[in-house]
Amino acid sequence: MDAKTLLEKYVGGQRKFHSVNLGGVDLKSLDLKEIDLYHSNLNEAGLSEAILIGAKLNSVVLTRPCLKNADLQLADLQLIEGSSINLSWADLNLAWLIGASLNNTNLSNASIYQANWKRINLNSANLTGVNLAETDLTQASLNRASLQNANLQKSQFRGANLEKCNRPIAKLFMWYDRQF
C-alpha cells in the first residue's frame, strides 16, 4: 500500500489496516492517531515526526525504519520485532512495549515516562539521555546497552539483564532494584 492510499482510507474513517505492507513508504509527519497496523510490515518506512498517539502496532515488523521525533504516546507496540530503529527524540510516554525486541535501536533523548516495557529486548540499544522515569523494565534485557545520562528515577528493573551495560549506570540500576 502506498502513502496516498493509506491516507485516503484513514481520512475516510478507516483505522484498521492489519497485515499491510508499508515497507519503504514515506509517512513522515502524518497524523495517524489511533491507527491499527497489527502484524504489518514497516521495514525501512519513513515515520519521522509522525503522530501515532494511541496507535496499535502489535506484532509489527520494523527493520531500519526512522521514527525520529515521532509521537507514540499511549501506543501499543507489544511483541514488535525490530532492529536498527531510529527512535531518537521520540515520545513514548505511557507506551506499551511488553515482549518487544528492539536490538540495536537508537532511543537517544527519547521520553519514555511511565511506560510498560516488561520483558523487552534492548540489547546494544542506545539509551543515552533517555527519560525512563517510572518505567517498568521488569525482566528486560539491556545487555550492552548505553545508558549514559539516562533519567532512571523510580524505574523498575527486577530481574533485568544488565550484562556489559556501561558500568556506572549498571550500578545505579542495581541500587534501584534493591530499593523498589
Side-chain angles (χ1 to χ4, degrees), residues 13-145:
Q14 183 175 339
R15 296 295 180 266
K16 190 174 179 178
F17 298 90
H18 288 190
S19 301
V20 296
N21 183 2
L22 294 167
V25 175
D26 185 7
L27 303 170
K28 182 180 179 180
S29 301
L30 291 183
D31 185 343
L32 299 170
K33 291 181 191 110
E34 299 181 359
I35 194 166
D36 184 351
L37 292 168
Y38 172 79
H39 210 280
S40 293
N41 174 10
L42 295 172
N43 286 335
E44 298 184 8
L47 291 157
S48 60
E49 300 176 9
I51 300 169
L52 297 161
I53 298 169
K56 293 178 183 167
L57 303 170
N58 313 65
S59 302
V60 166
V61 179
L62 296 161
T63 302
R64 292 183 306 279
C66 184
L67 289 133
K68 184 177 181 178
N69 268 337
D71 191 342
L72 291 152
Q73 294 179 73
L74 299 165
D76 185 347
L77 298 121
Q78 295 182 72
L79 303 174
I80 63 170
E81 291 287 327
S83 64
S84 304
I85 302 168
N86 184 355
L87 280 160
S88 60
W89 299 98
D91 187 341
L92 290 149
N93 294 327
L94 301 166
W96 287 61
L97 277 92
I98 298 171
S101 181
L102 302 175
N103 291 319
N104 301 307
T105 294
N106 179 4
L107 285 151
S108 62
N109 300 299
S111 185
I112 307 168
Y113 179 73
Q114 289 188 338
N116 188 339
W117 287 30
K118 292 178 183 174
R119 298 182 311 277
I120 192 169
N121 181 346
L122 290 167
N123 292 332
S124 301
N126 178 359
L127 296 156
T128 303
V130 72
N131 177 14
L132 285 166
E134 298 183 37
T135 293
D136 189 349
L137 289 150
T138 300
Q139 296 180 341
S141 181
L142 294 148
N143 190 15
R144 295 184 191 98

